Amino acid sequence: MKKFLSLLLVFLMVFGLAACGKKEAPAANTPAASTPAASTPASTPAQGGSTAATVEYDKATLTLAHGAAETTTLNDAALKFKELVEQKSGGNITVEVYPNQQMGGDREYTEAVAQGNLSMGSPSTSNMVGQTPSMYTFDSPFVFTNRADQYAALDGPTGQKLLDAIREGGLQGLTYWENGFRDLTTNREIKTLADFKGLKIRVMENEVHLAIWSALGANPSPLAFGELYTALQQKTFDAQENPLELIYNTKFYEVQPYVYLTNHIYTAYLCFMNADLWDGFNADTQALLKECATEATAYQRTLCEDASNACADAINSSGKSHTYDVDPALLKDIQGSLGDVYELVKQKSGIPDLVEEYYNAL
């Protein structure tokens, strides 16, 4: 009997230890108790199909505003970002895209993002200088003349420093999307420097842009982008300058017979998020958003050169306008007139050493 009781006791001890060592696996997507963001994170299998590790993505709905038309590659980048975020987060994060100035112009929605009334924005860097003067760096004329060199500068350490600099305005930079090289449209021929004299050209409300065209003898003046087509049509302005894709998609070529491929400034769209919102997300969510923004950049870049060439072809076949290369001698004269502009950029940006580093990024 004693032997039987001893065996029974051993059996019960072994069974109890086994039961204590077995824990039920947590159900997938179980909400955490708390989160630094306004919503609850959920567990998601790690990318690559592994079930050995999990990452946690905060639940959130992000609003992303920009000012370009639905037909532009900027909108393509925004939609790709939305697609990637929603897919990779397992639906925990959704992105609502508002194109075509639905949330106001670049300045308006940039302020809304900084104030926390919108989650994200993607304005032209030239329209951000009032809030983040470091962005004057990108208004420097003729620094880079081809996409490969420009991408190398943006993707390198200097580009990252400039991206980080917008924290001064309450914004977290994620990536650079492409606006493109700016070109000139006019209602008259431009063959020499003398042809710029008195040319009334619409520019953004940006001190460096004003200085560039003033140095060439033109008469630059700011005007809201939404009013520009009518102003050109009514000949209130003789000229304007924008990337070729915008020139085509906003139909400026319909009322401006000369499109000069000056490529005088490369302008980026800066994709950013409200800094406080970013800081409230956990590390997994931050890494995901950065990764998806970068992937959307690569996706857009594959579209940009083809889109620019297609726009040039469409303009040339429209019967209303034509694109023209600029005589190299004239380009040299233009560049020779802009020496003081580079010093102005350093002064206005407040980061002269970083501007110089950008000029020498290659």
Side-chain angles (χ1 to χ4, degrees):
M1 182 67 178
K2 289 181 179 179
K3 184 177 182 180
F4 171 78
L5 289 175
S6 296
L7 290 171
L8 179 61
L9 181 60
V10 170
F11 173 78
L12 290 173
M13 289 175 66
V14 172
F15 180 80
L17 288 171
C20 290
K22 182 180 180 182
K23 293 183 180 180
E24 184 177 352
N29 298 321
T30 302
S34 63
T35 173
S39 51
T40 307
S43 297
T44 305
Q47 293 180 26
S50 171
T51 57
T54 60
V55 293
E56 290 188 339
Y57 297 131
D58 293 303
K59 292 185 71 68
T61 298
L62 304 178
T63 49
L64 194 169
H66 68 79
E70 291 90 337
T71 52
T72 60
T73 60
L74 172 60
N75 197 55
D76 291 335
L79 292 177
K80 175 57 72 171
F81 175 77
K82 168 184 169 68
E83 174 192 330
L84 291 168
V85 168
E86 293 179 351
Q87 176 187 4
K88 293 189 177 189
S89 73
N92 288 324
I93 305 172
T94 57
V95 182
E96 298 173 353
V97 178
Y98 296 94
N100 208 20
Q101 302 191 62
Q102 291 181 37
M103 296 296 175
D106 283 359
R107 289 191 175 190
E108 288 81 8
Y109 69 73
T110 295
E111 290 176 2
V113 174
Q115 294 165 1
N117 298 322
L118 286 170
S119 308
M120 300 179 65
S122 189
S124 164
T125 52
S126 296
N127 282 333
M128 293 180 63
V129 296
Q131 186 169 353
T132 53
S134 57
M135 293 297 100
Y136 272 115
T137 306
F138 295 108
D139 293 317
S140 306
F142 300 106
V143 176
F144 301 102
T145 58
N146 63 76
R147 281 183 167 87
D149 288 347
Q150 185 68 60
Y151 294 160
L154 294 178
D155 297 343
T158 306
Q160 184 60 52
K161 290 177 187 177
L162 288 165
L163 196 62
D164 294 341
I166 68 169
R167 287 288 298 205
E168 65 182 300
L171 305 169
Q172 172 66 39
L174 296 180
T175 190
Y176 299 100
W177 287 339
E178 180 158 321
N179 190 346
F181 286 99
R182 304 182 76 85
D183 294 314
L184 174 70
T185 72
T186 74
N187 58 17
R188 70 193 200 201
E189 285 188 285
I190 303 292
K191 293 185 175 180
T192 69
L193 275 182
D195 294 325
F196 286 110
K197 188 172 180 60
L199 185 77
K200 188 167 184 182
I201 179 171
R202 178 269 178 188
V203 297
M204 287 181 282
E205 195 171 340
N206 177 300
E207 193 167 338
V208 171
H209 285 230
L210 288 163
I212 289 170
W213 297 102
S214 294
L216 295 176
N219 180 17
S221 182
L223 180 73
F225 185 78
E227 301 172 22
L228 182 52
Y229 181 91
T230 301
L232 295 173
Q233 186 179 44
Q234 295 176 348
K235 294 184 171 49
T236 306
F237 283 85
D238 301 314
Q240 69 83 44
E241 48 87 52
N242 262 299
L244 201 59
E245 188 181 6
L246 278 180
I247 291 170
Y248 177 73
N249 282 291
T250 50
K251 302 186 186 302
F252 294 154
Y253 71 93
E254 291 184 344
V255 290
Q256 295 269 272
Y258 301 98
V259 179
Y260 289 102
L261 304 179
T262 51
N263 283 9
H264 50 278
I265 294 174
Y266 179 90
T267 309
Y269 288 120
L270 202 57
C271 178
F272 54 66
M273 176 176 287
N274 174 272
D276 290 336
L277 177 62
W278 171 266
D279 291 342
F281 285 136
N282 64 34
D284 289 334
T285 303
Q286 290 179 348
L288 176 73
L289 293 171
K290 180 72 173 177
E291 173 188 320
C292 293
T294 303
E295 286 190 35
T297 300
Y299 170 76
Q300 189 208 18
R301 286 178 180 176
T302 64
L303 304 177
C304 283
E305 188 166 4
D306 287 343
S308 182
N309 291 336
C311 289
D313 291 342
I315 289 170
N316 289 329
S317 63
S318 69
K320 298 181 178 181
S321 186
H322 203 279
T323 64
Y324 298 89
D325 292 323
V326 181
D327 185 272
L330 175 56
L331 276 179
K332 186 175 181 180
D333 289 341
I334 291 172
Q335 293 174 37
S337 302
L338 301 178
D340 292 341
V341 172
Y342 300 101
E343 293 305 315
L344 178 63
V345 170
K346 294 177 184 179
Q347 172 194 333
K348 297 296 295 182
S349 69
I351 49 169
D353 291 343
L354 189 52
V355 172
E356 189 65 34
E357 184 179 319
Y358 175 70
Y359 291 167
N360 297 295
L362 295 180

